[in-house]
Amino acid sequence: NLAALALAALPLLLRPLLFLLPAAEEIGAVLCVENMPHSIGRTSAEMLRLIGGCPEAMVCFDTNHLLLESHADFIGALGDRIATVHLSDYDGRDERHWLPGRGVIDWPDLCRRLRRTGYRGVYIFEVHHGEATCRDLVKAYGQVLRKK
């Protein structure tokens, strides 16, 4: 099981993070760790185990990577650490990288929760190549983010 192996190797995973943090600070960048559905970072608890001891490290929240935890719980636990958001939808069973609105995510609720944390960062649409045209992305932005 890859996730169990990753959790067991957590001390080894911290080394690159601790190495990269000063370099990021030196150039004025924010180091973000993305939640991943099939390895480390599947839940807010795993993310906290990874970055909890590194207050400078932030979270790249991928909305379609949460397979084991609700968006509400993830945002509730890590909201003040979220520095960027990857937007895409899914079926709740596996990551799909669909255009927001096509899957099961309750976008108004997710956006409200992010806003309540004080999040004012970037929203990046992360959909599969060929999944959407520029016009589709603009429409999804209007339907999903404008209603936040």
Side-chain angles (χ1 to χ4, degrees), residues 79-102:
D80 63 338
R81 301 288 297 269
I82 296 172
T84 190
V85 176
H86 289 176
L87 295 176
S88 57
D89 220 328
Y90 67 144
D91 58 9
R93 290 186 296 276
D94 201 359
E95 60 178 320
R96 301 294 180 202
H97 293 280
W98 292 335
L99 192 64
R102 182 174 168 199

Side-chain angles (χ1 to χ4, degrees), residues 21-84:
L21 279 168
E25 184 177 327
E26 186 177 311
I27 64 169
V30 175
L31 184 66
C32 295
V33 178
E34 183 172 347
N35 59 302
M36 299 302 293
H38 302 294
S39 60
I40 190 75
R42 298 170 304 160
T43 65
S44 58
E46 288 181 8
M47 291 296 288
L48 285 168
R49 286 181 67 187
L50 181 60
I51 67 168
C54 306
E56 304 88 358
M58 302 298 278
V59 173
C60 170
F61 173 35
D62 192 310
T63 60
N64 111 122
H65 283 180
L66 287 181
L67 305 177
L68 301 177
E69 180 176 30
S70 72
H71 291 93
D73 290 341
F74 189 89
I75 294 168
L78 291 168
D80 63 338
R81 301 288 297 269
I82 296 172
T84 190

Side-chain angles (χ1 to χ4, degrees), residues 87-90 98-108 125 131 140 143-144:
L87 295 176
S88 57
D89 220 328
Y90 67 144
W98 292 335
L99 192 64
R102 182 174 168 199
V104 299
I105 294 175
D106 181 345
W107 291 101
F125 284 100
E131 168 72 20
Q143 292 174 335
V144 173

